Amino acid sequence: MTHPLYGTTAIAGVGLRQYKRGAAPLPERSVLVEAVLAACADAGFDPAEIDGFVSYGDDHNEPVRLMPELGIRELRWSSAVWGGGGGGIAGAFGVAASAILTGQATAVVIFRALVEGSSGRLSAAVMAHHLTDHLLAAGVVSPAQVCAIRATRLFDHHGVPRDIVEDLVRASYYHGNRNPEAVSFGQDFDIESLRRSRMIAEPFRLFDCSRENDGAGALLMVAADRARDLAKPPVYLLGCAQGAEAGWGDLLENDAADLYATAGFRPVAKRLYADTGLTPADIDVVQLYENFDAQGVMSLIDHGFCSHESAADVIRFDNLIADGGKLPVNTSGGNLAQGFIHGIGLPIEAVRQLRGESANPVAGARTCLLAGGPGSPTVSSAIFANRFD
Amino acid sequence: MTRSSGADAPYWQGLADGKLLFPRCTGCDRWMWPAGHRCGSCGAVGVTWTERAMTAAIFSWTRTWHRFALTESLDLPFTSIVAEVDDCGIRLLGRLDDPDRIDPVIGEPLTGRIGTTVIRTGVGTDPIPTIIWSRLA
Ligand SMILES: [Zn+2]
């Protein structure tokens, strides 16, 4: 039986506003309003008809406060996915679709806004979820250090070669170089700049880490049949899964030994593929949340694109780029090279890629996987498509 | 929540008294960490706080070079580890004596002593008791 989420809702419009960290020209809510208006303009949709919102990662903008500026007549749905990191980003689409499919809302905006002057540093906000005296006493106070400890285990215990992260970083900058909206647009990236960047927490140097931007992103979701009447071709949600399995979570580093150096996606990916009837071989493009490059590698492994043993064969620059790669990843540049507004640029690129609007188009792409923030206690993933059987 | 009010309060009190104490399920003897009050395996409520020796093995590690807020009392670089404590399998976050910056090896045996990490915030200083681990010579 076809899963109820399969192709029944669609993204009709996307809007993105991105600035250098600390350089947004407007307060956070105003930047968000602009992104929502852009998504509606993209779809040819009257913003007054929005009746729902979903976010993730502790966004500070309670949707009801957006109503006056957007001219919304009646709000029927506002919710968020739990967790302080980017783990919930893909799950937000499942929540929005659930609201639409159960008749509780008809036009739902999935959004994330982050302007440092309004919300402070993202890393500090994420960490506030997890900081305990156990972490403080060990000097472990940042997502970078938490993820570095897991990365060490991936490399030293599971034997994944350290240098494959460089291929992921190079592919990200290759795409960013060609994307006019990316922070790295027009910049030739030399891998030596990663190798020489300052050490943050071993094994991570600065360029192994995604660096925050100011901005906001918004995606308008409606029922699939309604999307077909709007301005742009629909990008359908085929499936979405969120959660965690026993032995994973906020466990003071006591995750099950075989899960410790994963990104937490094994049960989510398994359910997502089962619900959609798809396999990793059916995925044409991946938008991969990489807070840190090693966590991106773990996420690709969790989603079945490779194993510890085959990682070095699959995670190769030539294989990851839009021009001829079999596993094109982060075709906008991703969090590393396009810009990092808590990951919201990734689903927007998924939509653009499936419409043929990407700066790095993948020829004939039908499906795109969105993998949420790796290593979060609650993680989520989703699959989008521009057509389906 | 403070160190004296959480489910792991006896752990912190133990360190203050010079002992490493962990909670163990009264129903099935399973070690329960993070500390809680109910065992999800057998359903029993209640734990017995049980002492373990301060010996462990390296499970993973990072050496920090960037000055993150709240680490001001630690000289850079400093090495943080996950230590798997012997005879219970519980993993603890801790600090490693690493004066010569020798990369730790997973599985390496460790011995611990109780020290403190001082956290300085806008409202004062908080010395948190913690185990400082050393590699066996
Ligand atoms: Zn029990």
Side-chain angles (χ1 to χ4, degrees), chain A residues 151-165 261 294 297-298 301 306-313 315:
Chain A
T152 299
R153 184 89 185 162
L154 179 74
F155 298 139
D156 288 5
H157 181 72
H158 294 289
V160 172
R162 285 175 183 247
D163 57 5
I164 63 172
V165 300
V297 168
M298 294 175 194
I301 295 170
C306 58
S307 62
H308 290 143
E309 293 72 27
S310 70
D313 297 328
I315 303 175

Coordinates of all heavy atoms in Angstrom, one line a residue, chain A residues 151-165 261 294 297-298 301 306-313 315:
Chain A
A151 N 34.1 12.0 15.4 CA 34.8 11.9 14.2 C 36.1 11.1 14.5 O 36.5 10.2 13.7 CB 35.2 13.3 13.7
T152 N 36.8 11.3 15.6 CA 38.0 10.6 16.0 C 37.7 9.1 16.0 O 38.4 8.3 15.5 CB 38.5 11.0 17.3 OG1 38.8 12.4 17.3 CG2 39.7 10.2 17.8
R153 N 36.5 8.7 16.5 CA 36.1 7.3 16.6 C 35.9 6.7 15.2 O 36.3 5.6 15.0 CB 34.9 7.2 17.5 CG 34.4 5.9 17.8 CD 35.0 5.3 19.0 NE 34.5 3.9 19.1 CZ 35.1 3.0 19.9 NH1 36.1 3.3 20.7 NH2 34.6 1.7 20.0
L154 N 35.3 7.5 14.4 CA 35.0 7.1 13.0 C 36.3 6.7 12.3 O 36.5 5.7 11.6 CB 34.3 8.1 12.2 CG 34.0 7.8 10.7 CD1 32.8 6.7 10.6 CD2 33.6 9.0 9.9
F155 N 37.3 7.6 12.4 CA 38.6 7.5 11.7 C 39.4 6.4 12.4 O 39.9 5.5 11.8 CB 39.3 8.8 11.7 CG 38.6 9.9 11.0 CD1 38.6 11.2 11.5 CD2 37.9 9.6 9.8 CE1 38.0 12.2 10.8 CE2 37.3 10.7 9.1 CZ 37.3 11.9 9.6
D156 N 39.6 6.5 13.7 CA 40.6 5.7 14.4 C 40.1 4.3 14.7 O 40.8 3.3 14.7 CB 41.0 6.3 15.7 CG 41.9 7.6 15.5 OD1 42.1 7.9 14.3 OD2 42.4 8.1 16.5
H157 N 38.8 4.2 15.0 CA 38.3 2.8 15.4 C 37.7 2.1 14.2 O 37.9 0.9 14.0 CB 37.2 3.0 16.5 CG 36.6 1.7 16.9 ND1 37.3 0.7 17.6 CD2 35.4 1.1 16.7 CE1 36.6 -0.3 17.8 NE2 35.4 -0.2 17.3
H158 N 36.9 2.9 13.3 CA 36.2 2.2 12.2 C 37.1 2.2 10.9 O 36.7 1.6 9.9 CB 34.9 2.9 12.0 CG 33.9 2.7 13.1 ND1 33.3 1.4 13.4 CD2 33.4 3.5 14.1 CE1 32.5 1.6 14.5 NE2 32.6 2.8 14.9
G159 N 38.2 2.9 11.0 CA 39.1 2.8 9.9 C 38.7 3.6 8.6 O 39.3 3.3 7.6
V160 N 37.8 4.5 8.7 CA 37.4 5.3 7.6 C 38.6 6.3 7.3 O 39.0 7.0 8.3 CB 36.1 6.1 7.8 CG1 35.8 7.1 6.7 CG2 35.0 5.1 7.9
P161 N 39.1 6.4 6.1 CA 40.3 7.3 5.9 C 39.9 8.8 6.2 O 38.9 9.2 5.7 CB 40.6 7.1 4.4 CG 39.8 5.9 4.0 CD 38.7 5.7 4.9
R162 N 40.8 9.4 6.9 CA 40.5 10.8 7.3 C 40.4 11.7 6.1 O 39.6 12.7 6.1 CB 41.6 11.4 8.1 CG 41.6 10.9 9.5 CD 42.9 11.4 10.3 NE 42.8 10.8 11.6 CZ 42.6 11.5 12.7 NH1 42.5 12.8 12.7 NH2 42.6 10.9 13.9
D163 N 41.1 11.5 5.0 CA 41.2 12.5 3.9 C 40.0 12.5 3.0 O 39.8 13.3 2.2 CB 42.5 12.3 3.1 CG 42.6 10.9 2.5 OD1 41.7 10.1 2.7 OD2 43.7 10.7 1.9
I164 N 39.0 11.5 3.2 CA 37.8 11.6 2.4 C 37.0 12.8 2.7 O 36.2 13.3 1.8 CB 37.0 10.3 2.4 CG1 36.4 10.0 3.8 CG2 37.7 9.1 1.9 CD1 35.4 8.9 3.8
V165 N 37.1 13.4 3.9 CA 36.3 14.6 4.2 C 36.8 15.7 3.2 O 36.0 16.6 2.9 CB 36.5 15.1 5.6 CG1 36.0 14.0 6.6 CG2 37.9 15.5 5.9
A261 N 29.7 6.2 16.4 CA 30.3 7.0 15.3 C 29.4 7.0 14.1 O 29.9 7.2 13.0 CB 31.7 6.4 15.0
A294 N 33.0 15.5 8.8 CA 33.0 14.1 9.2 C 31.6 13.6 9.4 O 31.3 12.5 9.2 CB 33.9 13.9 10.4
V297 N 30.0 12.7 6.3 CA 30.4 11.3 5.9 C 29.6 10.3 6.6 O 29.1 9.3 6.0 CB 31.9 11.1 6.1 CG1 32.3 9.7 6.0 CG2 32.7 12.0 5.2
M298 N 29.4 10.5 7.9 CA 28.6 9.5 8.7 C 27.2 9.4 8.2 O 26.6 8.4 8.1 CB 28.6 9.9 10.2 CG 29.9 9.9 10.9 SD 29.7 10.6 12.6 CE 31.4 10.8 13.1
I301 N 27.0 7.4 5.1 CA 27.0 6.0 5.4 C 25.7 5.5 6.0 O 25.1 4.5 5.6 CB 28.2 5.7 6.5 CG1 29.5 6.0 5.8 CG2 28.1 4.3 7.0 CD1 30.7 6.0 6.8
C306 N 27.2 4.2 1.2 CA 28.5 3.5 1.3 C 28.6 2.9 2.7 O 27.8 3.1 3.5 CB 29.6 4.4 1.0 SG 29.8 5.8 2.1
S307 N 29.6 2.1 2.8 CA 29.9 1.5 4.1 C 31.2 2.1 4.6 O 31.9 2.8 3.9 CB 30.0 0.0 4.0 OG 31.1 -0.3 3.1
H308 N 31.6 1.7 5.8 CA 33.0 2.1 6.3 C 34.0 1.6 5.3 O 35.0 2.4 5.0 CB 33.3 1.4 7.7 CG 32.5 2.0 8.8 ND1 32.0 1.2 9.8 CD2 32.0 3.2 9.0 CE1 31.3 2.0 10.6 NE2 31.3 3.2 10.2
E309 N 33.8 0.5 4.7 CA 34.8 -0.1 3.9 C 34.8 0.6 2.5 O 35.9 0.8 1.9 CB 34.6 -1.6 3.7 CG 34.8 -2.5 4.9 CD 33.7 -2.3 6.0 OE1 32.5 -1.9 5.6 OE2 34.0 -2.4 7.2
S310 N 33.6 0.9 2.0 CA 33.6 1.5 0.6 C 33.5 3.0 0.6 O 33.5 3.6 -0.5 CB 32.3 0.9 -0.1 OG 31.1 1.5 0.5
A311 N 33.6 3.6 1.8 CA 33.5 5.1 1.8 C 34.5 5.8 0.9 O 34.2 6.7 0.2 CB 33.6 5.6 3.3
A312 N 35.7 5.3 0.9 CA 36.8 6.0 0.1 C 36.5 5.8 -1.4 O 37.0 6.7 -2.1 CB 38.1 5.4 0.5
D313 N 35.8 4.8 -1.8 CA 35.5 4.6 -3.2 C 34.3 5.5 -3.6 O 34.3 5.9 -4.8 CB 35.2 3.2 -3.5 CG 36.3 2.2 -3.2 OD1 37.5 2.7 -3.4 OD2 36.1 1.1 -2.8
I315 N 32.9 8.3 -1.7 CA 33.1 9.8 -1.3 C 34.3 10.3 -2.0 O 35.4 10.6 -1.4 CB 33.0 9.9 0.2 CG1 31.7 9.3 0.7 CG2 33.1 11.4 0.6 CD1 31.6 9.3 2.2

